Amino acid sequence: MDANLKRLLSDVKAGTRLTGEEALALFAVHNRDIWEVASAADEMCERAVGNAVTYVRNQNINVTNLCVNACGFCGFSKKPGDDGIYFHDREAIQKKAALAHSRHVTEICTVSGLHPAFTAQSYTDVYRWIGEAAPGVHLHASNPMEVAYAAKKSGISTKEVLRMMKAAGLASMCGTAAEILVDPVREQICPQKIPTAEWVRIIKEAHSLGIPTTATIMYGHCESDRDRVEHLAILRAIQDETHGFTEFVPLSFIHMNTPIYQQGRARAGATGREDLLMVAVARLYLDNFKNIQVSWVKEGIKMAQLGLCAGANDLGGTMFEESISKGAGATNTDYLDPKEMQRVVEDIGKTLVRRTTLYERC
């Protein structure tokens, strides 16, 4: 192992907080030293959470795929006149929620397109409908972009939208719409989305109101390693201040059906090396995050299993229904049986444990 890398990993395992430049150096690691970084991250993971790998029994409900935005990385959204548009009404949403309830899920997650007719009331109506049909199920929904959109359409503040959502049953919020929290990159991949500062402000507002959130990154398109580090630095600073993030979820770019890839403006997603290092560097750099999730939806179960050897401790959820990654070209995204989770987790010498959204044991 390179002497500088050996010293760096030794220091972080001894409790030294990584700097941005040190994280950048870890993202640049190649050859067999990749496994040294992964091993250090796995050791730090074990110190944080022990030998357990967690998962949640959940189901997605996507209300609509009609969206006013045109993000370059999205293969899910539709525009008026497109084939395949859907917009579920109360009856359809409650039917899906009741099905989820019958499957004994503990979490329902909903994030959808920004429908042209949506207001803050539209979101709160959906949340109440779900609560009626699936009483007692944790509602993990919305994201800072949806909050900003609802506020704009309703002429109220984002904080007021969050209060309305919480009163309607929102228990925790998705930390999606983050993509890369570097505005020049956002201008390339999602120019219609809120800027970094607004995403940060809304996340902090949610935390201040007692609404915990996840934290995400979407990588492997046209960002640099330095952009990734800047993104992680923003998340770490927020967590230092609010302690409101439940987990960090790296989301590997699914490229096949997306405009920025088809137009030659993005590469064909992250490599396996990058996927492993994204998890490992996150574990080592985000020292104030207890939980790091691997996305079997984005990476497939075999790559997700390797991520569990490189600093991750959570497999996400059963899903039952998934549309966004599928729209971008991913396959086998709809359901992962806990029996399969157990098989891959025990294969690496760890123990599968079912959790709630907020990481309580079931």
Side-chain angles (χ1 to χ4, degrees), residues 28 50 97 112 119 139-140 161 164 179-180 197 236 294:
S112 294
T119 63
L139 181 60
H140 180 62
V161 170
M164 291 173 61
E179 324 314 351
I180 295 290
R236 190 169 76 175
V294 283

Side-chain angles (χ1 to χ4, degrees), residues 295-311:
S295 175
W296 60 267
V297 172
K298 301 290 187 183
E299 299 175 9
I301 191 62
K302 290 184 178 182
M303 198 70 212
Q305 184 191 39
L306 292 179
L308 295 172
C309 300

Side-chain angles (χ1 to χ4, degrees), residues 172 212-215 239 244-248 289-291 357-359:
S172 62
T213 75
T214 57
Q239 187 75 328
F245 288 126
T246 56
E247 68 205 78
F248 174 64
F289 279 70
K290 187 175 181 179
N291 303 299
T357 304
L358 301 182
Y359 283 83

Side-chain angles (χ1 to χ4, degrees), residues 327-342:
T331 58
N332 301 317
T333 67
D334 279 337
Y335 176 66
L336 183 60
D337 193 315
K339 291 180 181 178
E340 177 64 5
M341 294 184 188
Q342 185 170 353

